[in-house]
Amino acid sequence: MIIQPRVRGFICLTSHPEGTAQNVKNQIDYVKSKGAIANGPKKVLVIGASTGFGLASRITAAFGSEAATIGVFFEKPAAEGKPGTAGWYNSAAFEEEATKAGLYAKSINGDAFSDEVKKQTIALIKQDLGQVDLVVYSLASPRRTHPKTGVAHASVLKPIGQSFTNKTVDFHSGVVSDISIQPVEAEDDIANTVAVMGGEDWKFWIEELKAAGVLAEGVKTVAYSYIGPELTYPIYRNGTIGRAKDDLEGTVPVLNDLLKDLNGVSYVSVNKALVTQSSSAIPVVPLYISLLYKVMKEKGIHEGTIEQMQRLFSERLYTANANDLQLDEKGRIRVDDWEMRADVQEEVAKLWEQATTENLEQLSDIQGYRDEFFNLFGFNFPEVDYNAETNEVVTVPSIG
Ligand code: NAI
């Protein structure tokens, strides 16, 4: 079929198999261009492996460190006349490239929050890898059915305590407007957001993997967090999602305790703000990102998900010298260090004040934002002819 983008707000309903494959190839090429990661991981489980930071982590482990990877994700397979989700096609392309390179790669498509998918993953590790030496936890989800209570929790993106008014942008039209977001009314909303995006499920994973004996001596586990600038605090770090990130970060000492007898260690890495399917859903953040991209590109320090993950693995997680981790006062790895540089933040803050619908194209990198948004779904790649027929029924080889 001929597949063109069909956009509804911050979601694109279609994805292009060749374009997503191009996206994966570009990321692989980048990792290869940076050379081998000394002492990198060899057997890796990535939970949330199909898009964004999780996909980039999987690519970095495989093509930077020749790691065998198992990826867990929740994606819609392709069917005749109905393209699959981008994460489905990404995973198909990844497995194909990994196999070509002689690397083991298998995937599990299902709800990572469930006990069943955890069991399935453990069985696959036992069968094929024996143990894993790195577990990446990179889920971003709007809901979670709790495996023990059966309660369905839905997360919300809201301020806490008082309403928040600031600028936002419709990144398709480029219209800048004010948006007021009402604060959460019920404590329940906070608890639900923590239940979905906090650390409990990460802990469940590590507990179950450990109990099954599939974590190697010296295992590492890492999950991803975000802080960002003060201007987004009310909606991000001091809002409901921030509470969930506090909870995720608070899980690190618990996991360190759990992993002590394996000489294992857990980390949270605070990553840079980037265009992903999840971040484009947060009000105010897309305008911030489009200004941030402008400033960071001008300074020659812009990174995408793959550059971030390659730097995380090669310069933080797997450096010979533990001091290179450069943990902050709360024990977090900071690969948002360039985003948070004072000179970057000062310039973004200045541009933020000035940004209007009329000057947005000059002031910001809104075009770069749009491009990256379409890239997520396999569109806007010069190598691909979007008017040509393409085979939409692509399978992930290990799933079928
Ligand atoms: P994403 O939306 O690109 O990826 C989410 C992944 O989770 C996908 O692989 C998806 O299939 C999987 N997933 C979602 N629900 C699932 C379920 N029930 N079962 C199995 N898999 C499921 O998200 P992104 O942006 O890469 O986020 C990953 C982590 O990075 C999140 O913790 C996020 O908060 C964090 N982060 C994101 C930043 C950004 O700017 N995008 C910045 C810093 C941190």
Side-chain angles (χ1 to χ4, degrees), residues 114-178:
S114 69
D115 286 341
E116 196 193 316
V117 164
K118 291 185 176 73
K119 284 202 189 90
Q120 221 179 310
T121 308
I122 287 167
L124 185 60
I125 298 172
K126 278 190 175 165
Q127 176 194 299
D128 289 355
L129 303 180
Q131 293 184 321
V132 290
D133 54 52
L134 173 66
V135 179
V136 175
Y137 187 84
S138 186
L139 291 186
S141 172
R143 65 190 70 81
R144 167 179 175 223
T145 300
H146 197 284
K148 316 290 175 211
T149 63
V151 173
H153 299 279
S155 67
V156 298
L157 288 165
K158 287 192 179 172
I160 296 171
Q162 56 197 44
S163 67
F164 172 53
T165 302
N166 212 323
K167 286 179 184 178
T168 193
V169 69
D170 173 332
F171 59 85
H172 298 296
S173 64
V175 172
V176 177
S177 61
D178 277 342

Side-chain angles (χ1 to χ4, degrees), residues 201-212:
D201 182 61
W202 185 23
K203 180 167 136 285
F204 284 174
W205 268 101
I206 298 302
E207 282 175 347
E208 292 183 33
L209 292 164
K210 188 186 175 204

Side-chain angles (χ1 to χ4, degrees), residues 48-54 72-75 110-113 138-141 143 197 224-226 236 245 271-279 289:
S50 53
T51 56
F53 284 113
V72 178
F73 46 76
F74 209 7
E75 300 293 344
D111 181 5
F113 296 127
S138 186
L139 291 186
S141 172
R143 65 190 70 81
M197 289 297 286
Y224 301 136
S225 189
Y226 184 63
Y236 200 94
K245 290 302 183 193
N271 299 344
K272 178 194 183 208
L274 282 169
V275 182
T276 66
Q277 295 188 38
S278 298
S279 66
I289 292 181

Side-chain angles (χ1 to χ4, degrees), residues 6-13 169-173 277 280-281 369 373-374 377:
R6 272 182 42 221
V7 174
R8 297 275 174 284
F10 51 79
I11 291 173
C12 183
L13 300 173
V169 69
D170 173 332
F171 59 85
H172 298 296
S173 64
Q277 295 188 38
S280 52
Y369 190 106
F373 176 81
F374 283 108
F377 304 91

Side-chain angles (χ1 to χ4, degrees), residues 5-282:
R6 272 182 42 221
V7 174
R8 297 275 174 284
F10 51 79
I11 291 173
C12 183
L13 300 173
T14 48
S15 306
H16 200 284
E18 289 164 48
T20 45
Q22 187 63 48
N23 191 4
V24 168
K25 274 198 206 107
N26 292 351
Q27 294 194 40
I28 292 172
D29 287 347
Y30 175 77
V31 170
K32 282 186 178 163
S33 78
K34 299 299 278 186
I37 296 167
N39 309 311
K42 287 295 164 222
K43 295 177 181 181
V44 179
L45 169 63
V46 182
I47 303 156
S50 53
T51 56
F53 284 113
L55 173 66
S57 304
R58 190 177 194 185
I59 292 173
T60 302
F63 290 89
S65 183
E66 297 188 337
T69 59
I70 293 179
V72 178
F73 46 76
F74 209 7
E75 300 293 344
K76 197 160 72 55
E80 197 143 345
K82 283 202 164 167
T85 48
W88 178 263
Y89 288 141
N90 286 338
S91 304
F94 171 82
E95 280 197 11
E96 201 171 298
E97 294 294 329
T99 307
K100 258 196 251 165
L103 300 169
Y104 171 99
K106 285 193 185 173
S107 307
I108 290 174
N109 189 31
D111 181 5
F113 296 127
S114 69
D115 286 341
E116 196 193 316
V117 164
K118 291 185 176 73
K119 284 202 189 90
Q120 221 179 310
T121 308
I122 287 167
L124 185 60
I125 298 172
K126 278 190 175 165
Q127 176 194 299
D128 289 355
L129 303 180
Q131 293 184 321
V132 290
D133 54 52
L134 173 66
V135 179
V136 175
Y137 187 84
S138 186
L139 291 186
S141 172
R143 65 190 70 81
R144 167 179 175 223
T145 300
H146 197 284
K148 316 290 175 211
T149 63
V151 173
H153 299 279
S155 67
V156 298
L157 288 165
K158 287 192 179 172
I160 296 171
Q162 56 197 44
S163 67
F164 172 53
T165 302
N166 212 323
K167 286 179 184 178
T168 193
V169 69
D170 173 332
F171 59 85
H172 298 296
S173 64
V175 172
V176 177
S177 61
D178 277 342
I179 182 172
S180 283
I181 310 156
Q182 293 309 305
V184 275
E185 280 168 16
E187 270 298 311
D188 267 8
D189 278 343
I190 301 175
N192 280 326
T193 307
V194 171
V196 179
M197 289 297 286
E200 191 189 40
D201 182 61
W202 185 23
K203 180 167 136 285
F204 284 174
W205 268 101
I206 298 302
E207 282 175 347
E208 292 183 33
L209 292 164
K210 188 186 175 204
V214 296
L215 296 180
E217 171 78 19
V219 67
K220 291 181 206 253
T221 182
V222 63
Y224 301 136
S225 189
Y226 184 63
I227 299 174
E230 277 179 34
L231 72 91
T232 63
Y233 276 4
I235 185 68
Y236 200 94
R237 197 63 211 204
N238 293 341
T240 50
I241 181 72
R243 290 292 177 87
K245 290 302 183 193
D246 291 344
D247 186 73
L248 183 82
E249 292 169 14
T251 306
V252 167
V254 179
L255 297 186
N256 281 339
D257 227 34
L258 195 68
L259 296 174
K260 214 185 287 167
D261 53 342
L262 290 171
N263 289 315
V265 62
S266 76
Y267 295 107
V268 156
S269 170
V270 181
N271 299 344
K272 178 194 183 208
L274 282 169
V275 182
T276 66
Q277 295 188 38
S278 298
S279 66
S280 52
I282 309 175

